[in-house]
Amino acid sequence: MKAKLFFSIFCAILLVNCTSKKNDPKFIEKASGRYFFNADEVIEVVFKDQELYLTWRSSDLKPLKVNDSVFYAKELNEKLIFNTKERKIVLAEKREHKGEKFTFLKLKQGEKTPSEYIAENNYELALQGYKRIKERDSLSPVIRERNLNRIGYRYLRNDKMDKAINIFKINTELYPRSSNTFDSLGDAFKKLNDTVNAIDNYKKALSINPENRSSKRNLDKLTKKK
């Protein structure tokens, strides 16, 4: 058994070493581009001197070429199988995710993730993107109420008011029965000194949950000022 195992490993190493690191121009053309790593994150396939690289989370990864369509990325500890005809990358099955299929679909030309649209202050396309995610997977962490709220307050702390308001507005669209989403949107308008919209959203928060202390407190302060 040991002899067979060593022989298999030796053959695998030999196969990798014999495989050219350079890639076919047609494969380069079809494989290049951005793929959904998850619902709101991208992994990009680029080629330098005909060799394949991945750009992921601000890092450049250099996968090991196994054959003309299969690459091993040690940083991900995954084997990536390219299906250029169907515009996707499939992770090879392994013990850690046996029975599960993980697929990275290629983005269309000019297509972006919802968070990228937020970064551009494109509210409408960001909202559409987050709604599509919710339709496909209502439990996705990407559209979880508290996660979006956390992002919104991060923008608020950094005085990126347009982005904060857009995220909070999206949260109210995704969770219209949540008192907290309107309370957060009220906080953003309050910081912007937009008293009218702040009051309006605190009132909406209280109409959903009359016991929302934050909205009560802020509404009292703003109405007294008026």
Side-chain angles (χ1 to χ4, degrees):
M1 285 294 291
K2 286 184 177 180
K4 286 184 179 180
L5 178 61
F6 286 131
F7 180 73
S8 298
I9 294 172
F10 172 76
C11 289
I13 293 171
L14 186 64
L15 178 62
V16 170
N17 288 336
C18 291
T19 302
S20 170
K21 292 182 179 180
K22 304 292 183 179
N23 293 277
D24 181 80
K26 287 185 179 179
F27 175 77
I28 292 173
E29 180 185 355
K30 292 181 179 180
S32 297
R34 288 159 29 99
Y35 295 76
F36 281 108
F37 184 77
N38 59 41
D40 196 33
E41 186 179 4
V42 165
I43 187 167
E44 187 171 7
V45 176
V46 297
F47 290 85
K48 302 173 186 177
D49 192 25
Q50 292 184 273
E51 292 187 40
L52 185 145
Y53 290 81
L54 302 175
T55 301
W56 180 63
R57 295 181 179 175
S58 303
S59 298
D60 289 328
L61 315 182
K62 178 65 176 72
L64 179 68
K65 183 177 178 181
V66 178
N67 61 41
D68 289 342
S69 61
V70 180
F71 298 78
Y72 175 71
K74 65 178 182 179
E75 295 86 352
L76 303 174
N77 190 26
E78 298 287 356
K79 192 182 289 183
L80 284 66
I81 304 170
F82 281 79
N83 184 335
T84 55
K85 187 177 181 180
E86 296 183 14
R87 295 170 55 86
K88 66 183 182 181
I89 301 170
V90 179
L91 295 188
E93 187 174 302
K94 64 179 187 178
R95 185 173 57 189
E96 288 84 343
H97 49 72
K98 190 174 182 179
E100 294 183 84
K101 286 191 176 181
F102 292 92
T103 302
F104 304 154
L105 298 177
K106 191 174 183 179
L107 279 74
K108 298 174 184 175
Q109 186 70 31
E111 185 179 4
K112 296 178 182 177
T113 65
S115 59
E116 288 176 325
Y117 286 126
I118 283 291
E120 296 177 349
N121 288 325
N122 193 328
Y123 169 78
E124 291 298 334
L125 289 180
L127 176 60
Q128 290 174 27
Y130 282 119
K131 281 185 173 180
R132 280 195 295 270
I133 293 171
K134 190 173 184 181
E135 287 169 5
R136 290 194 298 264
D137 180 10
S138 62
L139 299 178
S140 171
V142 171
I143 48 88
R144 199 169 289 161
E145 180 188 333
R146 67 172 178 268
N147 289 348
L148 291 173
N149 221 40
R150 193 181 301 119
I151 293 169
Y153 278 110
R154 189 186 308 143
Y155 281 132
L156 206 59
R157 287 193 298 272
N158 293 324
D159 293 321
K160 296 181 179 180
M161 302 307 299
D162 289 341
K163 293 179 177 61
I165 286 172
N166 284 339
I167 279 287
F168 289 139
K169 283 172 65 178
I170 285 170
N171 224 6
T172 65
E173 289 283 346
L174 297 179
Y175 302 99
R177 296 180 181 178
S178 168
S179 176
N180 190 52
T181 61
F182 288 99
D183 178 72
S184 298
L185 183 55
D187 287 347
F189 281 119
K190 179 187 172 188
K191 185 170 182 179
L192 196 61
N193 292 317
D194 185 341
T195 305
V196 173
N197 277 312
I199 289 174
D200 182 53
N201 280 283
Y202 288 136
K203 285 182 176 179
K204 286 178 181 176
L206 289 169
S207 70
I208 297 168
N209 176 18
E211 301 304 316
N212 189 319
R213 294 180 182 179
S214 173
S215 291
K216 273 185 178 181
R217 183 174 61 252
N218 283 304
L219 185 60
D220 286 344
K221 288 179 181 178
L222 292 175
T223 51
K224 282 179 182 178
K225 284 183 181 179
K226 290 188 72 176

